[in-house]
Amino acid sequence: MDLAYREKAYEYAKRFESSYDDYDERYKVHNNPTVWRFMLLSDFQDLLETNALFFAKPDAFSDPLEGCSSMWNIEELRKKGERHNRTSRTYIRKIHEFSAVSSWHINDYEAAGMWDLYLKGNDGVAIKTTYENLLCSIKDLRYKIFSGKVQYIDFQKEMISHSVYDTLFYKRKSYQHENELRLIIVASRIHAWKLQKLFEIQGISANQWQKRMDILEKRSYEFSHEHGNLLTCNLHQLINEIYVSPRSAQSCVDEVKALAKKHGLAYKKVTQSDLYRDYIY
């Protein structure tokens, strides 16, 4: 991240946090839905070995318009004579460097298209869990987790939020098959109330709380990777079931079971997807 933009990013982060609780109902996640994360076998192994979820910086998105202002927004600003560098892709991407995203698929059932999208025929797995288990599994104290359902819009005709970080909850309609739940972290945004409760339980003196939170806020700028950040999680809370790709050989299923056992997850159900299995009748 370019620290020359740190002050501006901090200002946007504060505005984003203040508006987050007032989001329209369409963004909010209700009734604890089932969510899935599809990944390559190597990524699954990394997850187990690090006990951490990888959040990717927005510059890793394949869609070049994701996280940008829509043409509707830009035209409206032009009409008002208000267009400035806030709508510039370069400027927005500099601010987005202070954030990272974890993407999950909302679906009661396994989705064939997600295997093809994320694995492209390679060996891999899908973690099946619930929205609440996902959130509760993240133990990294440096961040407040902002979560919401991605909104799929026509970038030519519809408005997205004017907030730089809000734009991360919008994608083009062409991607609506992803039915995405998105978790976002932003440097400097810690969960103060949650931390205070934790400090109280731990018996930490109240006059030490702010000092500890200041340290965590400073550490929130320390991303573990150039293109993202690892957040500590509890795998036992995170994982409900593990599905192996329907195209994988039995040797891959055996490897996944061995990995689960090695990391104390042998009790978790490991199933090979039967999406492409023929039925005899």
Side-chain angles (χ1 to χ4, degrees):
M1 57 183 68
D2 188 341
L3 295 182
Y5 289 82
R6 177 169 174 161
E7 186 175 339
K8 276 294 184 184
Y10 180 82
E11 293 174 6
Y12 283 121
K14 284 202 303 181
R15 292 178 208 164
F16 173 55
E17 182 177 32
S18 65
S19 65
Y20 173 73
D21 290 334
D22 297 323
Y23 269 11
D24 188 283
E25 279 296 310
R26 61 183 175 172
Y27 297 90
K28 296 180 180 178
V29 181
H30 297 293
N31 303 319
N32 193 27
T34 298
V35 296
W36 304 72
R37 176 69 183 174
F38 296 80
M39 63 185 73
L40 294 170
L41 185 57
S42 57
D43 293 332
F44 177 66
Q45 185 170 358
D46 287 343
L47 169 66
L48 298 189
E49 291 179 352
T50 61
N51 284 278
L53 279 172
F54 184 71
F55 280 61
K57 283 187 178 182
D59 63 9
F61 294 156
S62 59
D63 178 8
L65 295 185
E66 190 169 345
C68 296
S69 296
S70 70
M71 288 305 299
W72 191 97
N73 287 78
I74 293 171
E75 288 302 319
E76 286 299 303
L77 289 171
R78 279 177 178 158
K79 290 175 185 176
K80 297 176 182 178
E82 296 178 0
R83 187 170 182 210
H84 45 72
N85 65 355
R86 182 167 55 78
T87 58
S88 157
R89 288 194 197 181
T90 301
Y91 179 78
I92 290 174
R93 285 169 180 162
K94 287 291 187 182
I95 301 300
H96 281 170
E97 285 182 1
F98 294 82
S99 65
V101 169
S102 179
S103 300
W104 295 73
H105 174 63
I106 304 173
N107 202 329
D108 288 335
Y109 302 96
E110 183 186 355
M114 293 298 104
W115 287 116
D116 295 333
L117 178 64
Y118 285 97
L119 271 62
K120 297 179 175 60
N122 297 309
D123 287 331
V125 305
I127 292 173
K128 181 181 180 182
T129 187
T130 65
Y131 172 67
E132 290 180 3
N133 281 354
L134 170 59
L135 288 184
C136 291
S137 73
I138 299 173
K139 304 302 181 183
D140 199 310
L141 300 180
R142 295 173 296 164
Y143 301 101
K144 178 176 182 177
I145 305 296
F146 300 95
S147 63
K149 292 186 291 186
V150 169
Q151 301 303 299
Y152 300 96
I153 66 167
D154 184 335
F155 267 53
Q156 298 294 327
K157 300 177 180 178
E158 297 179 72
M159 179 185 75
I160 66 173
S161 172
H162 290 293
S163 167
V164 172
Y165 290 117
D166 282 344
T167 61
L168 295 175
F169 281 120
Y170 290 85
K171 297 180 79 167
R172 289 185 285 173
K173 284 184 178 291
S174 302
Y175 294 88
Q176 60 188 353
H177 61 280
E178 295 177 354
N179 198 25
E180 184 179 338
L181 164 70
R182 181 160 283 188
L183 308 185
I184 300 174
I185 59 168
V186 185
S188 81
R189 296 302 91 194
I190 59 174
H191 203 310
W193 178 84
K194 183 178 179 181
L195 287 171
Q196 289 171 5
K197 289 294 182 182
L198 178 63
F199 295 157
E200 188 175 5
I201 292 171
Q202 293 176 340
I204 297 171
S205 174
N207 60 16
Q208 292 291 314
W209 292 0
Q210 190 58 53
K211 179 180 178 181
R212 287 173 178 261
M213 288 192 285
D214 288 345
I215 291 172
L216 288 169
E217 181 181 323
K218 182 178 180 181
R219 288 182 53 216
S220 73
Y221 288 91
E222 300 170 1
F223 280 23
S224 58
H225 292 68
E226 180 183 358
H227 297 295
N229 201 2
L230 287 169
L231 269 66
T232 304
C233 70
N234 183 320
L235 298 176
H236 300 277
Q237 281 184 285
L238 173 66
I239 299 172
N240 283 9
E241 296 180 45
I242 302 167
Y243 280 66
V244 180
S245 168
R247 300 187 189 280
S248 292
Q250 182 60 41
S251 58
C252 181
V253 179
D254 295 339
E255 184 176 357
V256 170
K257 288 181 177 180
L259 285 169
K261 182 178 180 180
K262 177 182 177 181
H263 294 279
L265 298 167
Y267 67 98
K268 297 292 185 179
K269 184 178 180 182
V270 177
T271 305
Q272 180 163 26
S273 167
D274 63 358
L275 273 176
Y276 304 128
R277 183 177 300 166
D278 194 8
Y279 288 89
I280 299 175
Y281 52 89

